[in-house]
Amino acid sequence: MPQWRGKLEKIDEYRWLIPRSYKPGMRVDGLIYANAQMLNHIIDDQAPEQVANVACLPGIVGRSLAMPDIHWGYGFAIGGVAAMRVSDGVISPGGVGFDINCGVRILRTNLTKEEVMPKIKELVDALFNAVPSGVGSQGAVKLRAGEIDEVLVKGSRWAVARGYGRREDLDTTEENGEMKGVDPSTVSGRAKERGAPQLGTLGSGNHFLEAAFVDEIYDAAAAKAMGIERLGQVMLYVHCGSRGLGHQVAVDYIKTMLKAMPRYGIEVPDKQLACVPVKAPEGQAYLAAMRGAANYAWANRQCITHWVRQAFCRVMGISESEAGLQLIYDVTHNIAKIEEHMVDGKPEQLCVHRKGATRAFPAGHPDLPRKYAATGQPVLVPGDMGRMSYILAGTEKAMRETFGSTCHGAGRMASRSAMKKQLSGRDVLNDLAARGVIVRAGSLPGLAEEAPEAYKDVTEVVGVAHGAGISKKVARTRPMAVVKG
């Protein structure tokens, strides 16, 4: 890991500049969103070096950006945002990540904490049993031969057509849960082989299901548009991604791009930034495969949502209409998208990489559902198992500064291996129980990796995003019960 030897020039309370002069090859400045208290960890983590490296990529415009949850990742820092011109810029799998379309969704319920808490242990057991979790877990969805290609093309629409959810779920899913421009032939047989039996599974790592209650409302109008009506209202989170299929797509195309770069005369400061021109055949093939993996992830979360609804209603002894359980929104935070943004006063087609970053489009943007036209896109920012999570909304300032992007979570403070040395899974389980949070996990060592101490304080992260104006606070939730993958 290269040592960060540069300076971060303070622009204001929330913005820190890495000037182009920091290292040869930087085409634009870097910009990190953080407060002064967060800087020491960010520097120790060496992530600014990755922000500077990304600034060297061909076709990058604006600045190489890092959200306040920034930490070291594969090539690109997690929390990174980079936009490249489609005309002469590149696309990089490292700018998307291995868990393509890892994302989060929230269901709002009609019930309160007081109504759910007496059955919380029964509920977390029901959720744990309903949704397979853990490394390599396999799901209840059985695909017929070749049907995986339909999942890749149709995404959430495939799941709803199979009875896993409601038609209106598609309206409140980013991209309606179905990115266009998929070519199943660009996804390898190995990727399909890994993905087919895993559809409808949570996976492992930081993936989770959570029952939480609203403990603060900051923007009553935006909250009302989302169906968040009162303190104590119970929400259900689903956080997972594209499982082995997405991972295999990333592995396949990193190899492809490493071989192809010399042909296009591309040199990068770190081979983990392997990339090719967006318009090159390899770039177009990756985009087509990545979109298929993204659609798989949306279908995955849609299937899980169906079982979460069933489990919640069964335990609470009520119907779905009585329970509410409307999908507030589903966002992806590992993706590359072709979007139009203003660059130097002119509209430009860009390939926007968001890796551990969330789209945050403002009120009035044509890509938003009608119900959020006046309030902006919901932005879902989970914290850790023991503290809070936040629901935000997109802003105009995000469009001007960050290509319509903001943070995606708390951001890691300590590696998984470091946490396993410090804590046992039993320690974490007991600590969370003392905080009033019931946890079920298939693996106790895996639970230690995801202890609250492994993460930054999400309140501080969200405070920077809100203070900088790249998203605005709407509501806050606290966990009651967690199923950990």
Side-chain angles (χ1 to χ4, degrees):
M1 182 184 295
Q3 182 70 33
W4 170 254
R5 300 184 187 281
K7 291 182 179 178
L8 296 174
E9 298 179 0
K10 183 175 182 179
I11 296 176
D12 59 27
E13 191 175 353
Y14 303 115
R15 294 169 179 81
W16 304 82
L17 189 77
I18 305 173
R20 289 176 62 179
S21 56
Y22 166 62
K23 69 187 302 182
M26 286 179 68
R27 299 166 190 260
V28 298
D29 294 332
L31 184 69
I32 297 175
Y33 290 84
N35 62 29
Q37 293 71 37
M38 301 166 83
L39 280 187
N40 284 342
H41 171 74
I42 291 172
I43 291 171
D44 288 345
D45 187 54
Q46 309 298 333
E49 189 70 28
Q50 294 192 313
V51 177
N53 287 343
V54 170
C56 300
L57 294 180
I60 189 169
V61 299
R63 290 164 165 164
S64 171
L65 300 165
M67 302 296 110
D69 46 344
I70 177 179
H71 57 284
W72 185 267
Y74 181 89
F76 286 58
I78 295 166
V81 177
M84 286 71 169
R85 286 183 298 271
V86 170
S87 58
D88 63 348
V90 296
I91 185 167
S92 172
V96 174
F98 286 90
D99 193 1
I100 295 167
N101 188 10
C102 183
V104 59
R105 58 173 51 189
I106 299 182
L107 307 172
R108 46 85 62 208
T109 79
N110 291 333
L111 275 62
T112 64
K113 176 188 175 186
E114 288 70 27
E115 292 170 308
V116 173
M117 191 55 85
K119 295 187 175 181
I120 195 67
K121 290 185 179 178
E122 192 179 344
L123 176 60
V124 73
D125 285 340
L127 292 173
F128 183 75
N129 292 327
V131 181
S133 61
V135 177
S137 53
Q138 298 193 358
V141 178
K142 305 302 178 191
L143 300 177
R144 64 178 184 277
E147 194 175 7
I148 188 70
D149 286 359
E150 290 185 37
V151 176
L152 297 177
V153 171
K154 297 177 181 177
S156 291
R157 184 161 61 92
W158 172 89
V160 170
R162 283 278 297 257
Y164 299 111
R166 310 171 182 173
R167 173 65 184 82
E168 59 264 32
D169 293 342
L170 307 182
D171 298 333
T172 46
T173 301
E174 189 172 333
E175 297 286 337
N176 301 116
E178 181 182 358
M179 286 188 88
K180 304 299 183 188
V182 176
D183 178 355
S185 72
T186 60
V187 178
S188 69
R190 176 59 182 148
K192 295 175 185 177
E193 185 179 286
R194 292 180 66 181
Q198 293 183 336
L199 191 59
T201 63
L202 195 60
S204 58
N206 63 357
H207 297 163
F208 66 86
L209 308 175
E210 179 178 304
F213 67 93
V214 177
D215 84 328
E216 192 73 53
I217 294 176
Y218 304 97
D219 184 329
K224 185 177 180 182
M226 298 178 195
I228 301 171
E229 296 149 351
R230 58 193 182 280
L231 299 180
Q233 187 176 353
V234 170
M235 304 283 149
L236 301 175
Y237 287 74
V238 177
H239 176 236
C240 59
S242 52
R243 308 288 284 113
L245 185 143
H247 187 277
Q248 190 64 46
V249 167
V251 168
D252 292 341
Y253 280 93
I254 288 169
K255 290 179 183 174
T256 298
M257 292 188 186
L258 283 170
K259 290 180 182 175
M261 279 197 302
R263 191 159 61 250
Y264 296 107
I266 296 174
E267 296 182 359
V268 292
D270 177 354
K271 69 177 184 180
Q272 293 184 357
L273 298 172
C275 57
V276 295
V278 178
K279 288 188 168 181
E282 297 89 345
Q284 290 296 300
Y286 173 67
L287 264 175
M290 182 216 68
R291 289 163 177 159
N295 288 345
Y296 175 97
W298 273 310
N300 193 37
R301 291 198 286 277
Q302 187 62 47
C303 292
I304 290 172
T305 297
H306 174 68
W307 295 316
V308 166
R309 282 173 169 148
Q310 284 187 330
F312 187 83
C313 291
R314 186 169 61 251
V315 170
M316 300 311 299
I318 56 178
S319 66
E320 276 202 24
S321 61
E322 291 171 314
L325 293 169
Q326 288 91 7
L327 177 61
I328 292 179
Y329 207 58
D330 178 305
V331 293
T332 170
H333 44 233
N334 278 356
I335 201 82
K337 286 187 176 182
I338 307 301
E339 298 173 354
E340 184 175 285
H341 291 270
M342 299 299 290
V343 179
D344 298 330
K346 297 178 181 176
E348 181 98 47
Q349 287 288 308
L350 303 175
C351 180
V352 181
H353 298 70
R354 296 188 181 95
K355 179 183 181 180
T358 308
R359 194 185 75 174
F361 283 178
H365 195 284
D367 289 351
L368 298 191
R370 185 178 302 174
K371 66 185 295 187
Y372 299 131
T375 55
Q377 178 207 307
V379 174
L380 315 176
V381 185
D384 58 66
M385 289 185 285
R387 291 177 283 191
M388 284 78 76
S389 294
Y390 285 83
I391 300 168
L392 314 178
T395 63
E396 283 288 349
K397 198 165 190 176
M399 292 303 285
R400 294 195 299 271
E401 284 194 17
T402 60
F403 306 101
S405 311
T406 190
C407 58
H408 87 301
R412 288 196 79 90
M413 285 280 286
S415 69
R416 290 183 165 89
S417 58
M419 291 312 302
K420 282 201 288 191
K421 290 177 182 175
Q422 292 178 31
L423 294 170
S424 71
R426 182 61 61 185
D427 293 334
V428 177
L429 204 62
N430 292 338
D431 174 61
L432 290 170
R435 301 188 198 194
V437 182
I438 307 299
V439 178
R440 294 288 180 270
S443 160
L444 278 179
L447 194 60
E449 295 175 2
E450 295 298 317
E453 294 87 341
Y455 288 91
K456 300 179 188 180
D457 182 348
V458 71
T459 295
E460 197 169 19
V461 170
V462 166
V464 170
H466 180 86
I470 56 173
S471 48
K472 61 179 181 180
K473 292 193 282 189
V474 174
R476 185 177 72 186
T477 67
R478 285 184 181 273
M480 303 161 65
V482 178
V483 172
K484 205 68 179 173

